[in-house]
Amino acid sequence: MKRWIAGITLMAALSAGTAASAADSVQAVLFDAAYRFGGKLAQVGGEYVSLNYNGHAYVPIRFIAEQAGLKVEYDESSKTVNVDRAGSYVAEAVALELAKLADPDAEGVVWKAELVEHGRKAGGAAGAVEGPVWIVTGTDPGGTRTEVVLHAQTGEQIAFKELGVNLPNLDEAYGLVFASLVDGNKEQGGPGAYIAVDPRGLERLEDVQFTALLGKLGEYRVPVLKASLEELKRQGRVNTEGNNAIEGVLLGLEKTEVEGSRLVVDAYLYKTALGAEGRRFVLELQAGVWKLVSEEAGWTA
């Protein structure tokens, strides 16, 4: 729909009592237009209209500001339009656009934003950060994920990280690796008094997945701990006078590489400083289920 509107005042006069002279008036075209903010469609309607004047689109500033999570106030005395942040946080649509600027060459990426409120802890690219932050995650057509952490009040970028391919059920894959290490240690006494899992190298796992991994290792009917060697020492579980021996076994990862739907995992089992073993495992995702396809010796202390 297009029609000519005569006498459209281009002043930012939000007060109905503001007068305009003939010199302040122009002719403009009223036209229908849709707008997208952060990928979300917003239609001008109701009291708002879009204008075309000299090839430029003119949209009510209040409409634009509110869609961007901003607020608008008009000071009649100074004839000034004030645009400020609405509430405490940058709007979700703005956070999405800011995140895209961090990875401008990405194509076909689907972005999602999560607001972590004040007083909550957030993990991810920034490590442990205190809210309020926006955590914006992008996934490209190949499954590779990117995470951008933004300050929720200023929009400032806190962290940016490539997370790699989002492979499903990684707790099951790592469970196969660790079970193979424990089973291979039967001649040396099996798991011993307990099984400890070093969380370093397992950052890909969410908390619920890590808990599931520990549960799987519970099948060996010994206590299962989430602890590094340093933590075991602090707990008094390491004989520091005897080759740093422990009564159980410590399992950990050295490296994980993703090759399509395959994982190459370097993992180790530790009992003493002179009784540690590293092995390389290759796993493949077949019909949604992880299969251990090969393993080979890596190193032995």
Side-chain angles (χ1 to χ4, degrees):
M1 176 188 69
K2 288 188 177 182
R3 54 192 176 94
W4 288 96
I5 302 296
I8 296 296
T9 301
L10 297 185
M11 297 170 58
L14 303 186
S15 169
T18 302
S21 66
D24 296 319
S25 300
V26 297
Q27 285 189 327
V29 177
L30 177 68
F31 73 107
D32 293 326
Y35 301 86
R36 290 188 181 276
F37 295 84
K40 295 182 178 180
L41 184 65
Q43 187 74 42
V44 174
E47 61 180 313
Y48 299 137
V49 295
S50 297
L51 302 177
N52 185 323
Y53 174 67
N54 283 347
H56 297 287
Y58 289 80
V59 184
I61 191 171
R62 186 177 300 280
F63 170 76
I64 294 293
E66 290 176 348
Q67 295 297 324
L70 305 173
K71 63 179 180 179
V72 178
E73 293 180 349
Y74 179 64
D75 186 344
E76 173 66 27
S77 62
S78 62
K79 302 295 188 291
T80 302
V81 177
N82 297 306
V83 181
D84 294 302
R85 299 190 186 282
S88 302
Y89 305 144
V90 169
E92 179 180 352
V94 176
L96 289 168
E97 292 302 319
L98 291 173
K100 293 176 184 178
L101 293 176
D103 196 10
D105 297 327
E107 297 182 358
V109 176
V110 177
W111 295 91
K112 294 182 179 180
E114 176 190 3
L115 176 64
V116 178
E117 297 280 3
H118 180 74
R120 288 175 53 201
K121 294 286 187 179
V129 297
E130 184 81 21
V133 294
W134 279 107
I135 298 182
V136 186
T137 305
T139 305
D140 70 14
T144 300
R145 295 185 301 154
T146 299
E147 183 177 276
V148 183
V149 181
L150 306 169
H151 194 288
Q153 293 176 312
T154 65
E156 179 183 0
Q157 181 177 314
I158 298 174
F160 174 90
K161 186 177 182 180
E162 293 283 355
L163 299 179
V165 178
N166 184 22
L167 295 173
N169 306 324
L170 281 177
D171 54 308
E172 297 180 4
Y174 292 134
L176 291 173
V177 168
F178 288 152
S180 181
L181 283 171
V182 174
D183 291 342
N185 191 61
K186 287 182 179 179
E187 293 183 2
Q188 286 73 40
Y194 59 82
I195 297 174
V197 178
D198 192 333
R200 292 173 298 187
L202 292 166
E203 292 83 358
R204 291 173 179 265
L205 296 183
E206 299 177 357
D207 289 343
V208 65
Q209 292 178 307
F210 204 108
T211 300
L213 173 60
L214 298 182
K216 179 176 179 60
L217 295 173
E219 297 175 0
Y220 290 95
R221 300 186 182 280
V222 296
V224 182
L225 315 173
K226 178 181 179 181
S228 63
L229 182 61
E230 292 76 13
E231 181 62 26
L232 292 176
K233 288 181 179 179
R234 286 192 290 269
Q235 296 176 9
R237 296 177 180 270
V238 180
N239 182 1
T240 56
E241 297 180 357
N243 292 328
N244 285 330
I246 61 177
E247 295 181 356
V249 294
L250 173 64
L251 305 173
L253 298 184
E254 293 186 304
K255 183 174 63 175
T256 299
E257 295 181 352
V258 180
E259 300 176 355
S261 61
R262 294 164 68 94
L263 285 180
V264 180
V265 181
D266 290 343
Y268 65 87
L269 180 146
Y270 176 98
K271 285 188 69 71
T272 73
L274 299 177
E277 178 188 12
R279 300 185 69 83
R280 170 162 292 183
F281 300 85
V282 178
L283 302 100
E284 188 171 278
L285 190 63
Q286 301 175 2
V289 178
W290 287 105
K291 301 291 185 181
L292 182 60
V293 296
S294 69
E295 63 178 283
E296 60 185 52
W299 52 265
T300 301

